[in-house]
Each structure stands twice: as structure tokens, then as C-alpha cells.
Amino acid sequence: QKEVEQDPGPLSVPEGAIVSLNCTYSNSAFQYFMWYRQYSRKGPELLMYTYSSGNKEDGRFTAQVDKSSKYISLFIRDSQPSDSATYLCAMSAMSTNAGKAPFGDGTTLTVKP
Amino acid sequence: GAVVSQHPSRVICKSGTSVKIECRSLDFQATTMFWYRQFPKQSLMLMATSNEGSKATYEQGVEKDKFLINHASLTLSTLTVTSAHPEDSSFYICSATTGGNEQFFGPGTRLTVL
């Protein structure tokens, strides 16, 4: 069993829709949760970085962590065609564990105009 | 923001040749750099961890003699794929960190070995 599971999609939505992207994990020690966006043929870029349970909002993006369920979500409001990309979750048990944080396989999102 | 560059962005080479990929942190000093490879429609697979002035730490299953890593300074790490073969064709991505969980990724290098 993988440490991090992520539905690969693909997910296709119309412009303006609310998008929900999810990951589940098995290691209860994970406390730091990251969401990355990766455009085709590009490196990932960090979108959201959260610690422990709760919500974090940044513009149209909201990251949600439910540690009791070992489940994290990324919500995108008013989705735009420019949001079309692959979204990767990653998580870590330590604050200084970059690189060792396992990634999900990524969910490919297409927002149609 | 933190910017990481990679060079070249794309390389095509013949089987048996060696290819060097550079990763630079442009506006910050990176305590650690990481090298990943990514196959189509798959996630990032960590290959090795690189610290300035010390030997790289390779993940299980990654041949250190095939994937040579040199970390010359706090802003530059290089990955050399030696005696490349078609199965080495992939997207190679580096990242850099200043010590926390946040990684800043380069744009990637697409290697095609004929």
C-alpha cells in the first residue's frame, strides 16, 4: 500500500465550477501537508502548505486537512482554464523533511472554457 | 520568490553517451538539493539528496555510478547520466530547499536517449 493515495482522474469541469481534489494517507505521523501544481512539461510549484488539521485559504484555493480521517483536500473556487494542470499532494512528519515527503501520483484537471 | 533553474530544458542524445544537467538556485542559497525523475502520467520519484560539499545520498534502487551528482556550491548541483540508454529517457527535475518542508522546483529537463 502506498503511503499517499491520490485519484489520478482525469477530472474535467466547466469554467467557474468548484473543484475538489483529494488525497488519503496511511501514516498518522504526517503533520505537514503540501499541494503542488504542475503544468505540462514543467516542474511543480508550491500552491499551499499547511500544518496539522484545519483549513487554510489563499485566494481561490482552500486547503483542508482532516487528520482523524487521514484525508486532505484542495478546493478551487471559480475555476479557470489556467487552472488546468496536474495537482500533486505531498506530506511530511517533520518540519525539515523536504525531499523525503512522499508525493501522490497527481490528479490531472482540465477546466473547459 | 525563490527561483530554481535547470539547464538544458531538453536534450536528445545517442545511447552510450553521457549527459549533464545543471540545477541552480538563482536568488537563494540552498542547503539541500534533490533530484527526481518523472515518467509520463506518474508522480515524482526521488532519486537522490544532494548537500553542498558532501556525497549525495541515493534512494534505494538508484545506481550512484550511473547517476553522478556533484554539488559544487550552495547554488549549483549537477546530475550526470552516464552511458545513457533509452530506458533512461525521462523528465528529470531538481528542487532546492533552505531547510524546511517547502521545496522550490526547477522547470525540469526532458532527456531522450535514442
Side-chain angles (χ1 to χ4, degrees), chain A residues 32 34 36 38 41-46 49 88 92 94-100 103-106, chain B residues 10 34 36 38 41-44 46 49 59 91 93 97 99-103 105-108 110:
Chain A
Y32 300 88
M34 288 73 73
Y36 291 87
Q38 185 177 22
R41 302 177 186 272
K42 299 291 185 184
E45 57 176 319
L46 181 67
Y49 177 56
L88 299 148
S92 172
M94 298 167 56
S95 62
T96 57
N97 214 24
K100 290 294 186 180
F103 282 84
D105 287 342
Chain B
R10 175 178 287 189
F34 303 95
Y36 294 84
Q38 185 178 35
K41 300 190 184 299
Q42 293 186 26
S43 191
L44 302 160
L46 180 65
T49 302
E59 295 300 301
F91 193 50
I93 307 174
T97 179
N101 267 319
E102 296 178 58
Q103 296 183 68
F105 286 87
R110 184 160 301 281

Side-chain angles (χ1 to χ4, degrees), chain A residues 58-79:
Chain A
D58 184 0
R60 296 184 295 110
F61 298 90
T62 299
Q64 194 172 77
V65 176
D66 182 349
K67 289 187 69 181
S68 62
S69 301
K70 297 191 183 70
Y71 187 90
I72 68 170
S73 300
L74 177 70
F75 297 98
I76 306 174
R77 289 186 301 280
D78 187 26
S79 55

Side-chain angles (χ1 to χ4, degrees), chain B residues 1 6 11 21 34 44 57 61 65 71 73 92 105:
Chain B
Q6 269 182 255
V11 57
I21 303 169
F34 303 95
L44 302 160
T57 303
D65 294 330
H71 199 142
S73 73
Y92 291 87
F105 286 87

